[in-house]
Amino acid sequence: MPYYIGDVIKNEEQLIARTPEQFRQTGIDVRIDTRVDRIDPKAGAVLLTDGVAVPYDLLVLGTGTTALMPGIPGEDRQGVFTLKKLADALRIKAWIRELPCRKAIIVGAGFVGMEMSEALRNLGIETSVHHRAKLPVNRWDPELAKAVLAELESHQVRFVTDAEALAVQEGKTHRLRLVTSRGEEEADLILMAVGIGPNTDLARQMGLPLGRTGAVQVNFSQRTGREEVYAVGDCAESFHRVSGRWVNIPLGDIANKQGRVAGANIGGGNALFPGIVGSQSFKVFDLEVAATGLTEREAVEVGFHPAGTLIWGNAIAKSMPDNSKLGLKLIADRATGRLLGAQAVGRKGAVGRINVLAAALWAGMTLDDVGWLDLAYAPPFSGAWDPIHIAAQELRRKI
Amino acid sequence: MPYYIGDVIKNEEQLIARTPEQFRQTGIDVRIDTRVDRIDPKAGAVLLTDGVAVPYDLLVLGTGTTALMPGIPGEDRQGVFTLKKLADALRIKAWIRELPCRKAIIVGAGFVGMEMSEALRNLGIETSVHHRAKLPVNRWDPELAKAVLAELESHQVRFVTDAEALAVQEGKTHRLRLVTSRGEEEADLILMAVGIGPNTDLARQMGLPLGRTGAVQVNFSQRTGREEVYAVGDCAESFHRVSGRWVNIPLGDIANKQGRVAGANIGGGNALFPGIVGSQSFKVFDLEVAATGLTEREAVEVGFHPAGTLIWGNAIAKSMPDNSKLGLKLIADRATGRLLGAQAVGRKGAVGRINVLAAALWAGMTLDDVGWLDLAYAPPFSGAWDPIHIAAQELRRKI
């Protein structure tokens, strides 16, 4: 009988509870609210904190990530949150309802910070984002990040630049006070969205090799350093097809795919996870923000000689009533013309373009290919020359 | 001085007139409202109907297509239109305004028929589509074509199946009467949207070889059978990268690309048009309809052994409020697993998926690649498993 140990969320509207009993009927022993103390790979047993030893022949680690805290005084105060698991979201919702919460501070301007600024503003909560850098979303070109900043500001999100969080204190007009290198601000809720790191305690303790990224090393079958132990999802590395390096990009679709590969292999199949190209996206208010492949800095790090170009094109044909501007950046290798990465921001069409370019990266296309791709043109969906063509041909001329 | 001979449209709101004078200032002699009678390739001269001979060193044919008529009695009556050029659209608009037009009949259910049914309904005009087959948009799988039909019907477009147009007569309650194999219907306007064919009279007369498709044969430089004569756009063939055949797919984006290739070569460059994969799309009311690559029938014709699968997936994550269903069909070769074609229909996300699959076709990907493509997942834009993955993995298991 296979075992599943972990915290299975069992409440709130959209979720259909899958109780341990329901699982047991399907032949799976699910143990919720159960902590694993350590794993004994020689004995082939998972040791629970209550002293019980659960034996295994094959083991899958899916320990995920933990949201990082800045490590400042007062960060453990009531009303300071991170957002990683559904349980975190439920706690935040409960806190907002109870107070009620009129004002929120988000520390950090990555995916979670951006998505939560929209969610909080949609609840009518006054929201500030305090960020270490001058612009949000570090991964994107400054010109595209400025479009994200403008979107935040047009929805009355206050953006505080160059702010290093120093302490959380008790507030006067609001519950809490955030002290930063740029001053102080009070709020009823503080969300720490400063990053995440893979949970590798169990893996390390049982002697599994970790990669350069700090996540668990796996091969293309999702096997770890031990033949009988698999690792999947955010705690594990993935092969990046553009850089040729093993990376740790904790995203849900990658976790899903790795889980399927491990499952197929455990079931007697011979599945390989063919890797990733670094595609990612999020929505912030009315803006689509997406990227794939390498940034220029990452490209240099792995030995490419990147050149980039950034254009503002039309998301759909210029003559159409709903047209809006699309910012698209392409990065390619000077020596070979090979596409290395892409970033896009726009009210519509950004994710669609990035997905096409993700397929191009997957195939190892050069700009000569990308500039002539046969896309399904019609005025409601694009111009006859898509921003993809325009950017690729422009960058081709440049290098 | 280069010459341009043809009918340059010079009126209506959105168009900024580019007069022959303006062109002449840029060094181009544009002659509008001018017919070319024939071309004398030995003398290197274009002979106009008014007897003038315009000499050339290099010649570009961009003669386009003509909308076909069914060839039935009365089809030349006032109020019977085709829609190919902007001038046609202006004539139709003028006719609708003058009458006024309360009722319209469209003969044919391809791109033009579908787009015009939306345009006419948006003007409040009662609209019928009479079509030879049982379903609209022959290129799409019957299950997807049914979704298009449902969209037409939900916007009060009457769809008459198996209707062969036989004659156009004078009407009683409306201006005109269409007689078909299925009966009679009256209307103030009849649009013949039964197809188009390449204009090759001049090419044939000057002895240029035509392809199997009836369009002008060209090489990858857009040169015709004569070194000094180029042909581009709807009158010329294109290389289909999936079938390996030369085809004639008259679409604006292909014409644009071929024009750029010919222009670059004439300017002393060495450009090649790398071909197409058959991508196309249109919008009908709230539906995106798109396809790329080969149909099963076309795949068989060129020697593949196709298998297909059709799924209904989620355009965006199932949990999101604006989710809608997306129909996606994939076609692949049984022998090699190579992707051969794709078709999609949905309220959103259909064109985006087809563009990704167009890039996959361009690169010659197999289902093993397509099923694991790294797309930019976020719930507002897709599920963790995109319909592309689901369909590709399903078809992979099937073959």
Side-chain angles (χ1 to χ4, degrees):
Chain A
M1 183 180 278
Y3 293 96
Y4 175 87
I5 297 169
D7 55 322
V8 175
I9 299 291
K10 46 189 184 294
N11 47 1
E12 274 256 326
E13 298 94 293
Q14 311 91 341
L15 293 166
I16 296 163
R18 293 268 245 144
T19 63
E21 286 66 38
Q22 286 177 319
F23 274 108
R24 215 161 277 136
Q25 283 168 14
T26 70
I28 300 172
D29 184 9
V30 170
R31 310 207 181 178
I32 63 170
D33 300 325
T34 303
R35 279 200 76 79
V36 173
D37 193 44
R38 60 188 187 88
I39 295 164
D40 182 345
K42 279 184 194 127
V46 172
L47 306 165
L48 307 184
T49 39
D50 58 9
V52 173
V54 182
Y56 67 82
D57 295 319
L58 294 167
L59 178 70
V60 181
L61 292 176
T63 48
T65 56
T66 305
L68 304 176
M69 287 297 264
I72 57 174
E75 67 182 23
D76 55 351
R77 279 179 185 273
Q78 250 213 330
V80 180
F81 296 92
T82 56
L83 175 55
K84 175 62 189 62
K85 300 187 288 187
L86 185 57
D88 298 330
L90 300 180
R91 275 196 294 272
I92 292 171
K93 281 178 88 169
W95 179 259
I96 287 172
R97 273 198 217 107
E98 269 168 40
L99 276 187
C101 174
R102 289 171 298 130
K103 192 151 177 266
I105 291 172
I106 299 168
V107 179
F111 283 37
V112 172
M114 295 297 94
E115 291 179 337
M116 277 301 288
S117 69
E118 178 186 346
L120 291 167
R121 287 298 300 135
N122 284 348
L123 292 172
I125 296 169
E126 198 186 327
T127 304
S128 299
V129 174
H130 292 246
H131 189 48
R132 277 182 166 179
K134 293 233 180 297
L135 287 167
V137 294
N138 306 334
R139 188 171 189 82
W140 278 259
D141 186 276
E143 198 175 323
L144 300 176
K146 273 178 203 159
V148 175
L149 177 57
E151 185 72 7
L152 290 178
E153 287 174 343
S154 77
H155 288 84
Q156 294 79 48
V157 175
R158 190 173 158 246
F159 190 79
V160 184
T161 62
D162 305 300
E164 194 77 38
L166 300 176
V168 178
Q169 301 170 346
E170 203 183 319
K172 280 174 189 157
T173 54
H174 295 275
R175 279 283 196 116
L176 299 162
R177 181 189 306 121
L178 180 72
V179 182
T180 76
S181 56
R182 294 288 305 277
E184 300 179 354
E185 188 176 10
E186 296 206 352
D188 303 309
L189 181 158
I190 297 175
L191 177 70
M192 297 296 184
V194 297
I196 51 178
N199 283 331
T200 54
D201 288 352
L202 287 174
R204 213 173 333 164
Q205 166 268 314
M206 69 186 286
L208 296 181
L210 303 185
R212 203 179 46 90
T213 66
V216 181
Q217 244 179 30
V218 291
N219 64 13
F220 291 96
S221 310
Q222 298 301 136
R223 282 195 178 85
T224 65
R226 298 189 70 97
E227 180 77 7
E228 77 285 12
V229 181
Y230 294 78
V232 297
D234 295 359
C235 71
E237 292 190 326
S238 308
F239 180 73
H240 198 299
R241 296 168 64 100
V242 182
S243 68
R245 301 283 173 92
W246 289 84
V247 295
N248 177 231
I249 299 184
L251 289 173
D253 55 334
I254 299 172
N256 263 278
K257 287 171 184 156
Q258 294 185 338
R260 182 169 292 186
V261 168
N265 289 328
I266 290 169
N270 189 16
L272 299 175
F273 180 54
I276 62 167
V277 295
S279 305
Q280 44 198 283
S281 68
F282 67 90
K283 174 180 167 289
V284 57
F285 298 104
D286 301 320
L287 217 52
E288 298 184 3
V289 185
T292 187
L294 308 178
T295 63
E296 275 151 314
R297 178 191 294 198
E298 289 166 344
V300 167
E301 277 169 15
V302 296
F304 291 111
H305 295 87
T309 200
L310 194 158
I311 65 152
W312 288 91
N314 294 298
I316 62 173
K318 210 163 50 177
S319 58
M320 298 296 291
D322 290 335
N323 179 35
S324 63
K325 285 290 162 185
L326 178 83
L328 178 64
K329 178 172 185 169
L330 294 188
I331 298 156
D333 183 38
R334 285 180 189 282
T336 59
R338 181 179 163 194
L339 181 71
L340 297 177
Q343 302 162 16
V345 169
R347 288 196 183 279
K348 61 170 113 181
V351 173
R353 266 59 175 218
I354 290 300
N355 282 340
V356 169
L357 294 163
L361 285 173
W362 187 278
M365 282 188 199
T366 66
L367 293 174
D368 282 328
D369 285 310
V370 178
W372 298 95
L373 278 175
D374 183 15
L375 305 175
Y377 160 65
F381 310 122
S382 70
W385 290 101
D386 193 84
I388 288 175
H389 301 127
I390 296 168
Q393 297 203 359
E394 183 176 301
L395 185 51
R396 177 70 183 76
R397 284 191 296 272
K398 210 163 156 179
I399 64 177
Chain B
M1 181 179 279
Y3 294 95
Y4 176 87
I5 298 169
D7 55 323
V8 175
I9 298 290
K10 46 191 185 292
N11 48 1
E12 273 255 325
E13 299 94 292
Q14 312 92 342
L15 292 168
I16 297 165
R18 292 268 245 146
T19 64
E21 287 66 37
Q22 286 177 319
F23 275 110
R24 215 162 277 137
Q25 283 169 14
T26 70
I28 300 173
D29 183 9
V30 169
R31 311 207 180 178
I32 62 171
D33 300 325
T34 301
R35 278 199 76 80
V36 172
D37 193 45
R38 61 190 187 87
I39 295 165
D40 182 346
K42 278 181 196 132
V46 171
L47 306 166
L48 307 184
T49 38
D50 57 10
V52 174
V54 183
Y56 67 82
D57 295 320
L58 294 167
L59 177 71
V60 182
L61 291 176
T63 47
T65 56
T66 306
L68 304 176
M69 288 296 265
I72 57 174
E75 68 183 20
D76 54 352
R77 279 178 183 273
Q78 251 214 328
V80 180
F81 295 92
T82 56
L83 175 55
K84 176 62 188 61
K85 301 188 286 188
L86 185 56
D88 298 330
L90 300 181
R91 275 197 293 273
I92 292 171
K93 281 178 88 167
W95 178 259
I96 287 171
R97 273 197 218 107
E98 270 168 40
L99 276 187
C101 174
R102 289 171 296 128
K103 190 151 180 266
I105 291 173
I106 298 168
V107 179
F111 283 37
V112 172
M114 295 297 93
E115 291 179 336
M116 277 301 287
S117 69
E118 178 185 346
L120 292 167
R121 288 298 299 136
N122 285 348
L123 293 173
I125 296 170
E126 198 186 327
T127 303
S128 299
V129 174
H130 292 245
H131 189 47
R132 275 184 167 178
K134 293 234 180 296
L135 287 166
V137 294
N138 306 334
R139 188 169 189 81
W140 278 261
D141 186 277
E143 198 174 324
L144 301 176
K146 273 179 203 160
V148 174
L149 178 56
E151 187 71 7
L152 290 178
E153 288 173 343
S154 77
H155 288 85
Q156 294 79 48
V157 175
R158 190 173 159 246
F159 190 79
V160 184
T161 61
D162 305 301
E164 194 77 39
L166 300 176
V168 178
Q169 301 171 347
E170 204 184 320
K172 279 175 190 157
T173 53
H174 295 276
R175 278 285 195 115
L176 299 163
R177 182 189 306 121
L178 179 72
V179 183
T180 76
S181 55
R182 294 289 305 278
E184 301 180 354
E185 188 176 9
E186 296 207 353
D188 302 309
L189 181 159
I190 296 176
L191 176 72
M192 297 296 182
V194 297
I196 50 179
N199 283 331
T200 54
D201 288 351
L202 287 173
R204 213 172 333 164
Q205 166 269 316
M206 70 187 284
L208 296 180
L210 303 186
R212 203 178 47 88
T213 66
V216 181
Q217 244 179 31
V218 291
N219 65 13
F220 290 96
S221 311
Q222 297 303 135
R223 281 195 178 86
T224 64
R226 297 188 71 96
E227 180 77 5
E228 78 285 11
V229 182
Y230 294 78
V232 298
D234 295 359
C235 70
E237 293 190 328
S238 309
F239 181 72
H240 197 300
R241 297 167 64 100
V242 183
S243 68
R245 301 282 172 93
W246 289 85
V247 296
N248 177 232
I249 299 182
L251 289 173
D253 55 334
I254 298 173
N256 263 278
K257 288 173 185 156
Q258 293 186 339
R260 180 168 293 186
V261 168
N265 289 328
I266 289 169
N270 188 16
L272 299 175
F273 180 55
I276 63 166
V277 296
S279 305
Q280 46 198 283
S281 68
F282 67 91
K283 175 180 167 290
V284 57
F285 298 103
D286 302 320
L287 217 53
E288 299 184 3
V289 186
T292 187
L294 308 178
T295 63
E296 276 152 315
R297 179 192 293 199
E298 289 166 345
V300 168
E301 276 169 16
V302 296
F304 291 111
H305 295 88
T309 199
L310 195 158
I311 65 153
W312 288 91
N314 295 297
I316 61 173
K318 211 164 50 178
S319 57
M320 297 297 290
D322 290 334
N323 179 36
S324 63
K325 286 290 161 185
L326 177 83
L328 178 64
K329 178 172 185 170
L330 294 187
I331 298 156
D333 183 39
R334 286 179 188 281
T336 59
R338 181 178 163 195
L339 181 70
L340 297 177
Q343 303 161 15
V345 169
R347 287 195 184 280
K348 60 170 115 181
V351 172
R353 266 59 175 219
I354 289 300
N355 281 340
V356 170
L357 294 163
L361 284 174
W362 186 278
M365 283 188 198
T366 65
L367 293 174
D368 283 327
D369 285 310
V370 178
W372 298 95
L373 278 175
D374 183 15
L375 305 174
Y377 160 65
F381 310 122
S382 68
W385 290 101
D386 192 85
I388 288 175
H389 301 125
I390 296 168
Q393 296 203 0
E394 184 176 299
L395 185 52
R396 177 69 183 78
R397 284 191 297 272
K398 211 163 156 178
I399 66 178

